[in-house]
Amino acid sequence: MAAQCMLWQTSPAATELETRVIDWLRQALGLPDGFSGVIQDSASSATLSAVLVMRERALEWTGNRTGLSGQPRLRVYSSDQVHTSVDRAIWVSGIGEENLVRVPTGGRWRSMVPEALEAAIEVDRAAGFLPAGVIACVGGTSVGGTDDIAAVAAIAARQGLYLHVDAAWAGSAMICPEFRHFWSGVEAADSVVFNPHKWLGAQFDCSIHFIRDPGSLIRTLAIKPEYLKTQGADGIVNYSEWTVPLGRRFRALKLWFLLRAHGLEGLREMIRNHVRWSERIASRLAEVPGFEIVTEPMLSLFTFRHQACEEQQMDEHNLALIGAINDDGRVYLTQTRVDGRMAIRFQVGQFETAEADVDMAFDVITGIAARLTAGS
Ligand SMILES: *Cc1c(COP(=O)(O)O)cnc(C)c1O
């Protein structure tokens, strides 16, 4: 229908519906009243916008549109578990990848060590850097690495830094109250992104960028040439001022359909099933001789590896196993490195996955592993 959703005036329906469905999702995720939001194409764009706000805020809005030359060196902090969209946002924003400080992680969920985060900020300040913000993650891509948001938020507040939380994948699970412990403290974040196009079943593309102070986004991104001025329209929202792109699609419509068609209870049931089935296949695999669970399920994501005949051939063997599983064509898996060694990622997340599919995946994985071992 080619709706043009840049300004309220070019599509009042798209604007009003966007405000409405974002507020439904805010409530569904248990985020407090103070958050508004905007629908972006991707988490990468939302994180870039958040980093641009960090930059402008740290420079006290003076660097806006004038370039970074002559400014103090900015610093942004995250763990090594964050998605590569964070790396890209740091160099695309001109902050420079050398100014993304990797804070050491620890514990079951590979969380930033709070004391290490605070120490890094203070060391940088003493050395003349300008700390600008922290990017925390909930459900990192590799193994579901998750920061202690409450602890990170307390440090960010104490240090006067902007906090962005990337929950692109895991955020969908927060419609289930029993999973919200994974991001407790999130209400203190300045900015949160999650992708309904990942685990909630929205058609691609659809990423929600929640934000506590939309004024900071508008101050960073809005631009108003004469032809975009809408006369006599004070107090309306022009969502194009909240994002890098000007032109926008009517993404709220598919969210409205998704929520109306399945209801929150239907979506919760899907997510709960995925988590339960992942936990079940992980414990079944753990009992098969030769299989090792490398990282326990974080929601519906875990990693495992299969024992090779010779210890030094483990990585090679597991890569061969993934190749054979994917060539077989019934399931699709990817690999990652955990503490330097290859591991296979398993995750249930597709909208129409049934329990029988997960049982089939177990047969595929164990069957192909047995065949490979017998053949070698
Ligand atoms: C998928 C993912 C991203 C990137 O999302 P896009 O919408 O493809 O940009 C960023 N962070 C996390 C944690 C993700 O899972």
Side-chain angles (χ1 to χ4, degrees), residues 42-44 83 85 139 141 166 168-169 195 197-198:
S42 63
S44 303
H83 188 264
S85 55
T141 306
D166 178 5
W169 160 65
N195 283 357
H197 73 220
K198 276 192 170 150

Side-chain angles (χ1 to χ4, degrees), residues 33-63:
D33 260 346
F35 281 96
S36 25
V38 59
I39 309 181
Q40 301 234 23
D41 56 353
S42 63
S44 303
S45 297
T47 294
L48 174 60
S49 311
V51 168
L52 293 171
V53 172
M54 276 177 200
R55 186 187 78 184
E56 296 309 312
R57 180 180 168 277
L59 298 174
E60 296 173 346
W61 312 99
T62 51

Side-chain angles (χ1 to χ4, degrees), residues 115-135:
E115 299 73 33
L117 169 63
E118 192 142 37
I121 296 167
E122 281 167 1
V123 165
D124 278 353
R125 242 194 258 287
F129 292 106
L130 183 54
V134 184
I135 301 177

Side-chain angles (χ1 to χ4, degrees), residues 93-111:
S93 64
I95 292 173
E97 64 185 345
E98 68 279 17
N99 295 311
L100 176 60
V101 179
R102 302 291 186 174
V103 177
T105 56
R108 178 169 180 199
W109 303 115
R110 294 169 190 256
S111 326

